Amino acid sequence: MNIFVILISALLIIIVLLRRRVPIGPAILTAGIFIWAAAAPQPHYLWDAWIETFSAYRTYDLIFALYFVMCLEIELRTGGILDDLVRSLHRLLKSPRLTLAIMPAFLGLLPSLGGARFSAPIVEITAKGLNLTAEHKANINFWFRHIFEFSSPIIPGMLMACSIAAIPFSSLLLHLAWVTPLFFLVGWLVLMRPLKLPPHIITETGKVNLAKELKTLCFAIAPVAANFILITAFNFTAAAAMALVVFAMIFVLRFTNHTLNIKEVFAGAYDRKMLLNIVCIFYFIQILTDTGILHLIVSEFQKSPLPVPAIVAAVSFIIGILTGMSQGHVAIVMPIIAAMAPGDLTLAGIAMVFGVAGQMLTPTHMCLLVTLDYFKADYFKCLKTLVPMSALLLAVFSAVTYIAG
């Protein structure tokens, strides 16, 4: 059977399973088993891939990194630090526009299952009196939450991409850092700049204790900044950096009289679904590697008359739409890049940006689903804005990448 027929069939399997609410990991692994059965059905491949998956360092580094991300999110939320941050921003910025954009963006630094549901109430409160439609509020919450997909050291897709493609995390992060302000600018121009503030909107006019508010902001941002510095400046692994920050925050919260339930932090961060997804995805990748499927795909791609960047962009975008998760397009595209052009930052960057752009348009994206549900917004009405925004993002990114290359 032709390899591309096998891959298309595998993608259809993923779509069907996702629509039946099967978690992304098992859905991808099921497609991987199908590929194995269709292309190289020798039992030893499955066993060898299983052993290699659980003996690989990258598997455990990612699992523990994501676990400690969840720990930090619980520390900041239950300690009241996020609530303090919202109040400080209101007093400092005195601008509903800025607060609307900044709060989802900041909370996007702490990826967690259904995290967009956490920032949605903040957007709802801040937008009170602005006469925004449900779709406008939904798009604000959804778009700005994802601006750090390319520049945060604790975003799962970035962690997995670097692990699979064997690229230093700091290198890919610095390579794509400029896309974050571009993402923000697109959102600001389309969603925020047209807002007309009614004359009755009143912001706090009392005297602001600047030192106190800045202290609150720094306290909230410090854990994320510390993790960023540990990874980029001191070459800590993602897991080690997150663990150090989480344990340090225990003492910081204790000494600053913030609420902290240590048992809740470490027990609440355990997510069996996340663990299952990670293991399934890495096992899927190992199956493709051991059976030689990846090399076959690379060989077929190299025969194509299309430029490699164009192929990577198209495949990443389509898979991003199909899966709605960064782990999905990363799991499928990054192994191909690793085999085709190891360490190529340009191709890895193209895969990440086009994959995320695909995610921003699909109802299979969990953040979009919970956002639509909270604001009772219509998906297709939201899409009328999200499509041109994603198109503008990709057009600018492609132009800059072409010029730089």
Side-chain angles (χ1 to χ4, degrees):
M1 189 183 298
N2 182 277
I3 185 59
F4 290 110
V5 173
I6 294 175
L7 289 178
I8 292 172
S9 300
L11 290 176
L12 290 175
I13 289 173
I14 293 174
I15 296 171
V16 171
L17 292 177
L18 288 177
R19 289 187 176 276
R20 293 177 178 270
R21 300 187 183 280
V22 175
I24 183 72
I28 287 179
L29 180 56
T30 302
I33 298 297
F34 167 78
I35 293 173
W36 164 80
Q42 285 82 28
H44 72 89
Y45 285 132
L46 295 181
W47 176 250
D48 291 344
W50 179 266
I51 297 299
E52 290 175 41
T53 298
F54 283 95
S55 60
Y57 171 78
R58 70 181 185 183
T59 302
Y60 300 99
D61 184 53
L62 182 60
I63 288 173
F64 283 106
L66 295 182
Y67 171 74
F68 286 117
V69 166
M70 302 307 168
C71 288
L72 179 60
E73 190 270 337
I74 294 172
E75 287 178 333
L76 296 182
R77 174 165 45 82
T78 60
I81 297 171
L82 293 181
D83 289 336
D84 292 341
L85 176 64
V86 174
R87 287 190 289 268
S88 290
L89 283 174
H90 274 302
R91 287 191 285 263
L92 284 173
L93 299 178
K94 299 184 178 183
S95 167
R97 284 194 184 97
L98 284 175
T99 305
L100 278 171
I102 289 175
M103 282 315 303
F106 176 75
L107 294 174
L109 285 169
L110 302 170
S112 58
L113 188 61
R117 177 62 177 75
F118 187 49
S119 57
I122 298 174
V123 170
E124 183 69 64
I125 293 171
T126 307
K128 188 176 181 180
L130 295 180
N131 299 319
L132 301 184
T133 64
E135 288 74 30
H136 201 148
K137 289 183 284 188
N139 282 338
I140 288 172
N141 186 60
F142 178 60
W143 184 267
F144 286 101
R145 176 174 169 74
H146 293 87
I147 71 169
F148 290 110
E149 288 284 330
F150 319 98
S151 59
S152 171
I154 56 178
I155 293 296
M158 287 284 285
L159 292 171
M160 185 175 286
C162 293
S163 179
I164 295 172
I167 294 175
F169 192 94
S170 56
S171 298
L172 184 58
L173 189 149
L174 294 174
H175 179 71
L176 290 178
W178 68 276
V179 183
T180 285
L182 171 62
F183 207 97
F184 184 91
L185 180 61
V186 170
W188 186 268
L189 291 175
V190 177
L191 296 172
M192 309 307 300
R193 195 166 182 271
L195 287 185
K196 295 181 179 179
L197 302 183
H200 65 274
I201 292 295
I202 301 174
T203 57
E204 295 186 41
T205 56
K207 185 176 180 181
V208 175
N209 187 332
L210 183 61
K212 180 181 178 181
E213 304 304 344
L214 290 178
K215 181 180 178 181
T216 300
L217 290 178
C218 291
F219 190 78
I221 296 172
V224 178
N227 187 69
F228 185 93
I229 293 170
L230 287 173
I231 290 176
T232 57
F234 297 97
N235 293 318
F236 272 58
T237 64
M242 283 306 310
L244 183 59
V245 170
V246 166
F247 283 110
M249 283 300 294
I250 293 176
F251 296 99
V252 172
L253 292 173
R254 289 290 193 190
F255 284 111
T256 53
N257 297 318
H258 284 83
T259 302
L260 178 65
N261 184 323
I262 296 179
K263 182 179 179 181
E264 181 182 354
V265 169
F266 291 103
Y270 175 66
D271 187 339
R272 285 190 297 177
K273 185 177 180 180
M274 179 189 72
L275 179 63
L276 176 65
N277 285 338
I278 293 171
V279 172
C280 287
I281 287 173
F282 274 129
Y283 186 34
F284 162 81
I285 294 167
Q286 201 61 54
I287 290 173
L288 296 189
T289 302
D290 288 358
T291 56
I293 297 298
L294 288 180
H295 292 292
L296 181 58
I297 294 172
V298 171
S299 175
E300 292 298 323
F301 276 166
Q302 290 173 336
K303 296 176 185 176
S304 171
L306 293 175
V308 171
I311 295 173
V312 170
V315 172
S316 298
F317 183 76
I318 292 171
I319 296 176
I321 289 177
L322 296 179
T323 63
M325 296 181 70
S326 59
Q327 295 96 318
H329 67 82
V330 165
I332 296 171
V333 179
M334 282 301 175
I336 298 173
I337 292 175
M340 183 186 300
D344 192 315
L345 285 174
T346 299
L347 287 183
I350 290 172
M352 286 301 302
V353 175
F354 275 81
V356 170
Q359 290 173 232
M360 299 301 291
L361 304 176
T362 175
T364 62
H365 190 159
M366 182 61 68
C367 286
L368 182 55
L369 283 179
V370 299
T371 297
L372 293 174
D373 180 68
Y374 180 86
F375 292 105
K376 304 296 186 265
D378 182 85
Y379 167 66
F380 293 102
K381 289 181 180 178
C382 288
L383 212 57
K384 290 180 180 179
T385 303
L386 291 175
V387 168
M389 290 172 70
S390 295
L392 177 59
L393 174 75
L394 292 180
V396 176
F397 172 79
S398 299
V400 172
T401 301
Y402 177 79
I403 294 172

